[in-house]
């Protein structure tokens, strides 16, 4: 939008207005995928980095803005909110490495094995809590199958869904080999014009503010005390190191 401020449209809903103000596309389709993205990322139990950091800082009775600003710093980590753009970049790199070949389960199975053998990780698979396919991924996949079935990146991501979990499972090291929401969220957003991957975490932050701050309000209402994690002295650490 050439650096020009786009005024808010009070006739639109929260997500639709945000989509409008991004200046990417003023179509209803882009508003709809933004609504879906913001809804799916709005909240996700209190143990994740951004929610927990917001709660931790807020437990000191810090201003909610300060508290969530701290949470966003955690969200920017590559193992948390930055993961969606990492997944999209991995898909694009994989697409490039295939050299125009139509992705198949056999091809992607070998590609995944070669990736792991080289010491690299495959982003978008696994989850710290879930032990099955992320329900948010399922919703995005259904959306993509309906609205962008012929998109090349979605086709690739869809084959990855079939090929990669068995490869990860075969290693015996992965508790959850199934895809998470990051495996497909960037693919959907780029299809509708949001191709600036570095901005994805900002969209995530706009969404997650709803859940984090709502939890902060409940923490204040219930009068939860300041959070003070237990610490360990050097003797305890030494005992652990020696296997005692």
């Amino acid at each position: 939008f050439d650096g020009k401020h786009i005024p808010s449209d009070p006739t639109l809903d929260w997500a639709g207005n945000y989509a409008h103000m991004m200046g990417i596309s003023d179509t209803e389709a882009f508003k709809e995928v933004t609504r879906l993205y913001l809804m799916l990322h709005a909240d996700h139990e209190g143990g994740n980095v951004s929610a927990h950091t917001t709660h931790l800082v807020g437990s000191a009775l810090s201003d909610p803005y300060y508290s969530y600003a701290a949470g966003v710093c955690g969200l920017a980590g590559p193992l948390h909110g930055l993961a969606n753009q990492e997944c999209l970049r991995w898909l694009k790199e994989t697409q490039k490495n295939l050299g125009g070949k139509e992705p198949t389960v056999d091809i992607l199975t070998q590609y995944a094995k070669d990736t792991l053998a080289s010491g690299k990780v495959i982003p978008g698979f696994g989850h710290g809590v879930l032990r099955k396919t992320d329900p948010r991924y399922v919703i995005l996949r259904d959306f993509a199958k309906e609205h962008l079935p012929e998109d090349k990146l979605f086709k690739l991501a869809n084959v990855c869904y079939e090929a990669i979990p068995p490869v990860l499972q075969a290693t015996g090291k992965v508790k959850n080999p199934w895809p998470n929401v990051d495996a497909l969220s960037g693919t959907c957003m780029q299809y509708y014009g949001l191709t600036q991957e570095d901005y994805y975490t900002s969209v995530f932050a706009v969404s997650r503010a709803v859940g984090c701050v709502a939890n902060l309000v409940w923490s204040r209402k219930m009068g939860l005390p300041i959070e003070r994690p237990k610490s360990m002295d050097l003797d305890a650490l030494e005992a652990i190191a020696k296997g005692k």
Side-chain angles (χ1 to χ4, degrees):
F1 55 90
D2 299 325
K4 296 178 182 177
H5 175 68
I6 299 174
S8 173
D9 183 347
T11 66
L12 293 171
D13 58 279
W14 171 61
N17 189 40
Y18 178 49
H20 160 71
M21 294 182 71
M22 277 194 277
I24 304 297
S25 168
D26 214 23
T27 63
E28 184 59 29
F30 182 64
K31 292 184 179 69
E32 196 62 19
V33 75
T34 303
R35 291 183 183 106
L36 178 63
Y37 187 101
L38 295 189
M39 181 270 291
L40 291 180
H41 290 79
D43 198 10
H44 180 30
E45 55 90 30
N48 65 79
V49 172
S50 54
H52 179 238
T53 303
T54 303
H55 170 75
L56 172 65
V57 176
S59 74
L61 299 186
S62 294
D63 182 283
Y65 290 97
Y66 294 157
S67 302
Y68 189 55
V72 170
C73 289
L75 194 68
L79 296 182
H80 193 21
L82 202 66
N84 54 5
Q85 66 193 59
E86 296 297 324
C87 290
L88 180 58
R89 286 170 179 166
W90 185 85
L91 282 173
K92 288 182 175 179
E93 181 184 358
T94 301
Q95 188 178 57
K96 182 179 178 181
N97 291 339
L98 292 181
K101 293 180 183 177
E102 186 73 19
T104 65
V105 171
D106 288 341
I107 290 175
L108 262 297
T109 295
Q110 188 58 50
Y111 188 86
K113 289 179 179 178
D114 294 341
T115 298
L116 296 178
S118 68
K120 297 178 181 178
V121 298
I122 301 175
F125 289 79
H127 193 275
V129 177
L130 297 173
R131 294 296 176 262
K132 61 181 181 179
T133 300
D134 190 333
R136 298 169 300 171
Y137 173 90
V138 175
I139 293 171
L140 280 173
R141 185 167 180 255
D142 289 344
F143 177 89
K145 286 167 71 175
E146 180 179 350
H147 297 284
L148 48 139
E150 298 305 316
D151 179 65
K152 290 183 178 180
L153 273 182
F154 171 60
K155 284 184 173 182
L156 175 58
N158 213 25
V159 176
C160 288
Y161 174 66
E162 298 180 53
I164 292 176
V167 175
L168 295 175
Q169 220 163 16
T171 66
K173 302 176 181 178
V174 180
K175 293 181 179 178
N176 173 20
W178 308 108
N180 57 55
V181 67
D182 298 314
L184 204 50
S185 57
T187 298
C188 291
M189 294 301 282
Q190 66 84 38
Y191 177 80
Y192 287 98
L194 185 53
T195 56
Q196 295 89 340
E197 297 150 16
D198 289 338
Y199 188 66
Y200 286 1
T201 305
S202 299
V203 183
F204 196 158
V206 169
S207 172
R208 186 56 60 87
V210 176
C212 286
V213 177
N215 286 329
L216 190 62
V217 170
W218 276 108
S219 297
R220 295 278 175 91
K221 176 65 177 176
M222 293 187 292
L224 297 182
I226 187 170
E227 187 170 313
R228 188 186 299 275
K230 293 181 179 179
S231 57
M232 298 184 70
D233 58 27
L234 290 177
D235 290 337
L237 292 173
E238 185 178 359
I240 292 173
K242 291 180 178 179
K244 295 181 179 179

